Amino acid sequence: MNNTTSAKKKIGHLTGSLRNYRVYHRYLGLVLAVLVLISSVTGVLLGWKKDVDLLQPPTQKGATPNLEQWIPLSQMSTFATAALDSAQGISTNPIDRIEARPDKGIVKVLFLEGSWEVQLDGSNGKVLSVAQRHSDWIEKIHDGSIIGDLFKLITMNILGLGLLVLTFTGFTLWFYPKRIRKLKR
């Protein structure tokens, strides 16, 4: 009789806990589903960025990989700014960074606004490409930095911790019914 009462108490406790875990799992899952969906879709797109020209312009090939034959970066930045102005009518966009690709013989000049990229031949500054890098703003959506760095920090922590909680509650929702069935025998 004592074992039966003890088993019933355990079953009652487990059943109550199971109900609570279902509620936590359901609502946390709904909230995180939005973040996971955004992160998943943008992650897939970023995985293809090197293979889809619309996402990121293909890297061109310059005349020489020999850095000693290249023109100075200051001259390249002037050429890139002029090329962006000429191609798109954008004259006041500051340069974010300059990426040298010696093995390809080119320099990519990336602009701060609009995700613009100008590719130049490193040896003579000839404009090889002027295009938008859609992968840059997709990456900002992917990590949340499109809203701000604080938002990125908060959402990535919520996403990470939330997935841990979902893992724990999901395991519990799987394990407790097995335990309840065993106690009922």
Side-chain angles (χ1 to χ4, degrees):
M1 185 101 174
N2 207 3
N3 277 343
T4 307
T5 308
S6 174
K8 284 185 179 183
K9 280 185 178 180
K10 284 181 183 178
I11 290 170
H13 176 72
L14 289 173
T15 305
S17 295
L18 197 55
R19 282 188 193 106
N20 289 336
Y21 283 128
R22 277 193 188 108
V23 171
Y24 301 146
H25 191 82
R26 179 182 309 123
Y27 290 113
L28 182 60
L30 286 172
V31 170
L32 290 181
V34 174
L35 294 174
V36 169
L37 180 65
I38 291 168
S39 186
S40 297
V41 170
T42 55
V44 167
L45 290 172
L46 290 172
W48 283 92
K49 72 181 180 182
K50 299 281 186 190
D51 301 309
V52 177
D53 295 350
L54 180 64
L55 297 174
Q56 185 171 315
T59 302
Q60 303 297 315
K61 191 117 170 105
T64 179
N66 185 351
L67 294 175
E68 292 174 357
Q69 296 177 11
W70 282 23
I71 62 173
L73 286 178
S74 59
Q75 205 173 355
M76 287 189 215
S77 67
T78 303
F79 289 160
T81 303
L84 185 61
D85 185 23
S86 173
Q88 298 297 322
I90 302 170
S91 60
T92 58
N93 197 348
I95 293 173
D96 180 35
R97 66 186 184 273
I98 298 175
E99 296 179 359
R101 305 287 169 92
D103 59 322
K104 300 280 187 182
I106 63 130
V107 169
K108 291 184 178 186
V109 180
L110 305 168
F111 291 87
L112 201 56
E113 298 164 5
S115 301
W116 288 100
E117 168 189 283
V118 175
Q119 293 184 36
L120 303 170
D121 186 316
S123 65
N124 57 24
K126 177 184 173 195
V127 177
L128 302 173
S129 168
V130 177
Q132 276 189 301
R133 293 170 53 105
H134 295 288
S135 61
D136 288 356
W137 63 265
I138 292 171
E139 187 173 337
K140 288 179 181 179
I141 292 172
H142 180 72
D143 68 9
S145 64
I146 196 162
I147 294 174
D149 287 336
L150 181 61
F151 180 81
K152 172 185 173 178
L153 180 67
I154 291 169
T155 56
M156 290 300 109
N157 279 294
I158 288 172
L159 187 58
L161 293 172
L163 289 173
L164 284 173
V165 171
L166 280 178
T167 301
F168 174 75
T169 58
F171 175 78
T172 305
L173 291 172
W174 169 79
F175 181 73
Y176 275 19
K178 290 181 179 301
R179 181 104 193 263
I180 290 169
R181 280 192 292 276
K182 186 177 179 182
L183 286 171
K184 284 183 177 178
R185 287 188 211 143

